[in-house]
Amino acid sequence: MKLTSTFVAVCLFSSTAAFAQEPASILNSVPPNSATVTNYYKQNVYDLRDSKIGDIKDVLMDRDGKVTAFIIAAGGFLGMGEHDVAVPFNAVKGTQKDGKWYLTMNASKDTLKAAPGLKYDRGSTTWIPENANTTGSGSNR
């Protein structure tokens, strides 16, 4: 198919005009007291005695974008036998230790293992009680 120069010019003008428009909300700087999600997501969590008790498997947010909870995978070995639990955002404390981001929680591995377990339901794209029957393909991430 042969493209006319008018058609090409209209396409270029249309795409250029779309890119030239400014988005409604752009920040000129990072908001104060902000932290990147990579400081939390897939990071180890330690008890107050520096023993690893789990790792952050998911970060949950409300509709306003505020982080409300973490899903922590406790126990298991190489992903087998993990027990996923929800903990409030403010239960996990972050700090720098030896130049690295370090997460702690005032809980033990046994406390996390005893907590109600969750599983990720791909059909509803949410975390549900691990013993719930689902219509979707209830699969862990």
Side-chain angles (χ1 to χ4, degrees):
M1 174 166 113
K2 196 174 197 182
L3 296 176
T4 66
S5 59
T6 305
F7 176 76
V8 172
V10 168
C11 288
L12 286 174
F13 177 76
S14 297
S15 65
T16 304
F19 285 117
Q21 294 176 359
E22 297 256 345
S25 299
I26 297 293
L27 299 174
N28 291 326
S29 62
V30 174
N33 300 319
S34 295
T36 177
V37 74
T38 56
N39 284 345
Y40 297 93
Y41 184 62
K42 294 191 176 185
Q43 298 300 314
N44 293 331
V45 180
Y46 298 87
D47 65 16
L48 300 179
R49 290 184 283 219
D50 289 339
S51 296
K52 182 182 172 189
I53 59 174
D55 60 271
I56 305 288
K57 191 168 187 174
D58 205 351
V59 179
L60 306 181
M61 300 181 294
D62 64 17
R63 296 205 184 274
D64 294 326
K66 180 181 173 189
V67 175
T68 57
F70 294 115
I71 301 295
I72 295 183
F77 181 70
L78 299 174
M80 300 297 292
E82 284 182 342
H83 181 70
D84 300 328
V85 299
V87 300
F89 170 74
N90 61 1
V92 177
K93 306 296 181 202
T95 188
Q96 292 278 331
K97 183 176 180 180
D98 299 327
K100 293 181 74 178
W101 191 249
Y102 182 77
L103 300 176
T104 60
M105 184 175 173
N106 188 11
S108 68
K109 186 180 282 192
D110 291 335
T111 301
L112 293 180
K113 286 181 185 178
L118 300 170
K119 65 181 177 182
Y120 185 74
D121 180 61
R122 291 181 190 260
S124 63
T125 63
T126 190
W127 290 89
I128 60 173
E130 64 186 357
N131 58 359
N133 293 328
T134 63
T135 56
S137 57
S139 171
N140 282 347
R141 285 183 173 183

